[in-house]
Each structure stands twice: as structure tokens, then as C-alpha cells.
């Protein structure tokens, strides 16, 4: 166990932790978006999906706890690496490249913390029903207690909520786009020939994910996806 802690504390161990946890979180946002897209297919589709997830019972809790551990590791390691970087920084930058790298990693910490704030709000909103109990109650009142469609459409019909989600997706886009480039770099994929391709791919994937989420919020707000009957 101590060798694992020593590895995590090392600079390369920290970077590998960021890459592996980042990849797993990326897998989660892709899966979550694919599930949420069922909103476009109507209430039966997304509500059956929500029921299927809840019917997993203890397995769902294993997945939730796993996700939480991965998330905490990602955040704690990011903060540790960023303060180690700051401590090691010379008083003056000798090269512009160093300055750019520091700016990029600083903006990653900032965008990451903003996504964390969004996530706390999102869980209070849809999972715990604290911020808008009137929307959360719609979920329990509907089909077999899993009317996620009614809850989500009632929420995004409110412009302040829909636009908050869209703003969070802009930040998520920057975080994912840069995060995937760092991930590729850590995995050793940095070569004059591949780097431009990796940049484009990271941009495109981040755009698809953040854009997909924003599209869902805006589809409800603009009436493309209608509220529950
Ligand atoms: C338009 C965008 C989104 C929609 C419509 C949406 C919808 C939902 C809903 C309805 C739930 C509650 C499911 C239930 O308890 O039945 C949920 C949970 C959750 N969402 Fe989202 N979500 C969106 C974006 C995101 C994003 C961008 C992230 C991550 C950055 C995220 C992370 C989570 C997490 C971690 C949970 C808790 C999962 C659990 O404990 O079961 N969501 N989301």
C-alpha cells in the first residue's frame, strides 16, 4: 500500500492518476449524455432508462461510490500537482512556453473547480431535490416514481436554470478539450505528426459532449422538447 502512496505522491504518479481518473470521468460524461439523449425520444424512453438504473439496486451504489472515489482522487491530485508546480516555479519565466503551460494548467484548475460547483448544484437539483423541490416532486408524482422527463422539462423551461446549465457546458467544453490533450501527452502521444490531430479530436469530442448537454437544455427552453402532459 505504501508503494501506491509513494507512486501517487511522485510527479509522474500524480500525472498518471490525473490521466486514468480523467479518462474514467470522460467515460461517465459520455454514458450520461447518451442516457440523457433519450429525452428527445419522449417520456417513456428516458423514464424507463431511469427506472432501469434505479432497479440495479446495490450495483448502482457500487457505481456511485466508485464514481465519487474517482472524482475525489481527480480533484485532490489536481490541487496537489498545481501547488507543487507553483512551489517549483522560478520567480521570473525564462521561456514563454513555461508561461503558457502554467496558464493552461491554472485555467484547468479554475475550469475544474467551476465544473465542481456546477456538479454540486446539479446533484442538489436533480438527485437530492433541494434547489427546486417543485421539479423534484414531479419525478416522484409521475410514472412509477421515475418521471425524470417531467422533472427535467419543468426545470429547463425556466430560462435561468437552462442558461445556467448552458454556461456550465461552456466551461466543461474548455476543461474537456484541454484535459484530453494533457491525457494524450501523459500517455506519451506527443509527436509533431500526431499533436495537431489530437488537438482537433479533443476539440471535437469536447464539443460533442458539452454541445449535446447544452442542446438538451436549449431544446426544452425553446419548446423543441415539450413539457410533460
Ligand atoms: C443537460 C445536461 C444534463 C442533464 C439533463 C442531466 C440529468 C441528470 C438527471 C436527471 C440526474 C438524476 C438521475 C436520477 O436520480 O434519476 C442526473 C444525475 C447526475 N448527473 Fe447529470 N445531467 C446533465 C449533465 C451532467 C453533467 C455535465 C455532469 C458531469 C459533469 C453530470 C453528472 C451527474 C452525476 C454525477 C449524477 C448523479 C448520478 C447518480 O448518483 O446516480 N450531469 N443528471
Amino acid at each position: 500500500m505504501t508503494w501506491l502512496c509513494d507512486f501517487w505522491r511522485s510527479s509522474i504518479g500524480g500525472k498518471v492518476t490525473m490521466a486514468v481518473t480523467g479518462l474514467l470521468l470522460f467515460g461517465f460524461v459520455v454514458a450520461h449524455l447518451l442516457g440523457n439523449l433519450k429525452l428527445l425520444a419522449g417520456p417513456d424512453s428516458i423514464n424507463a432508462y431511469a427506472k432501469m438504473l434505479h432497479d440495479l439496486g446495490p450495483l448502482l451504489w457500487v457505481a456511485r461510490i466508485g464514481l465519487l472515489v474517482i472524482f475525489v482522487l481527480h480533484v485532490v491530485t489536481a490541487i496537489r500537482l498545481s501547488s507543487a508546480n507553483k512551489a517549483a516555479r522560478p520567480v521570473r519565466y525564462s521561456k514563454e512556453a513555461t508561461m503558457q503551460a502554467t496558464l493552461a494548467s491554472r485555467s484547468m484548475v479554475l475550469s475544474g473547480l467551476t465544473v465542481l460547483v456546477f456538479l454540486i448544484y446539479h446533484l442538489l437539483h436533480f438527485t437530492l431535490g433541494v434547489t427546486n423541490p417543485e421539479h423534484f416532486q414531479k419525478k416522484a408524482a409521475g410514472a412509477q416514481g421515475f418521471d425524470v422527463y417531467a422533472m427535467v422539462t419543468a426545470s429547463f423551461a425556466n430560462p435561468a436554470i437552462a442558461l445556467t446549465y448552458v454556461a456550465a457546458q461552456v466551461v466543461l467544453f474548455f476543461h474537456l478539450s484541454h484535459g484530453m490533450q494533457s491525457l494524450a501527452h501523459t500517455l506519451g502521444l506527443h509527436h509533431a505528426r500526431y499533436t495537431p490531430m489530437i488537438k482537433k479530436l479533443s476539440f471535437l469530442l469536447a464539443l460533442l459532449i458539452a454541445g449535446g448537454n447544452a442542446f438538451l437544455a436549449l431544446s426544452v427552453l425553446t419548446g423543441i422538447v415539450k413539457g410533460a402532459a
Side-chain angles (χ1 to χ4, degrees), residues 190-209:
H190 52 102
H191 184 280
R193 203 193 288 166
Y194 307 125
T195 304
M197 206 170 74
I198 288 169
K199 268 192 179 171
K200 277 188 199 139
L201 193 66
S202 304
F203 180 91
L204 193 72
L205 286 174
L207 193 67
L208 279 175
I209 294 166

Side-chain angles (χ1 to χ4, degrees), residues 71-72 74-76 78-80 82 86 105-121 168 171-172 175:
F71 193 78
V72 169
H74 193 74
V75 175
V76 171
I79 293 171
R80 186 179 69 71
S82 150
K86 257 186 225 157
S105 60
R106 240 193 254 155
S107 69
M108 279 306 275
V109 172
L110 198 68
S111 59
L113 290 177
T114 312
V115 172
L116 174 66
V117 171
F118 161 74
L119 193 60
I120 294 170
Y121 163 67
V171 182
L172 182 66
H175 192 78

Side-chain angles (χ1 to χ4, degrees), residues 28 32 36 54 64 119 122-123 126-127 139 148 156 213:
F28 169 77
H32 193 44
N36 289 339
H54 282 84
R64 278 173 165 165
L119 193 60
H122 182 53
L123 293 179
F126 281 155
T127 304
K139 179 167 114 172
V148 168
F156 292 156
N213 284 329

Side-chain angles (χ1 to χ4, degrees), residues 84-148:
N85 269 352
K86 257 186 225 157
R89 197 176 65 195
V91 178
R92 291 186 56 167
Y93 295 110
S94 52
K95 278 186 182 168
E96 200 173 319
T98 321
M99 198 163 94
Q100 277 177 3
T102 314
L103 265 181
S105 60
R106 240 193 254 155
S107 69
M108 279 306 275
V109 172
L110 198 68
S111 59
L113 290 177
T114 312
V115 172
L116 174 66
V117 171
F118 161 74
L119 193 60
I120 294 170
Y121 163 67
H122 182 53
L123 293 179
L124 290 173
H125 180 202
F126 281 155
T127 304
L128 300 170
V130 174
T131 58
N132 293 84
E134 72 283 11
H135 299 156
F136 191 69
Q137 276 149 20
K138 283 184 185 283
K139 179 167 114 172
Q144 298 172 52
F146 293 104
D147 204 346
V148 168

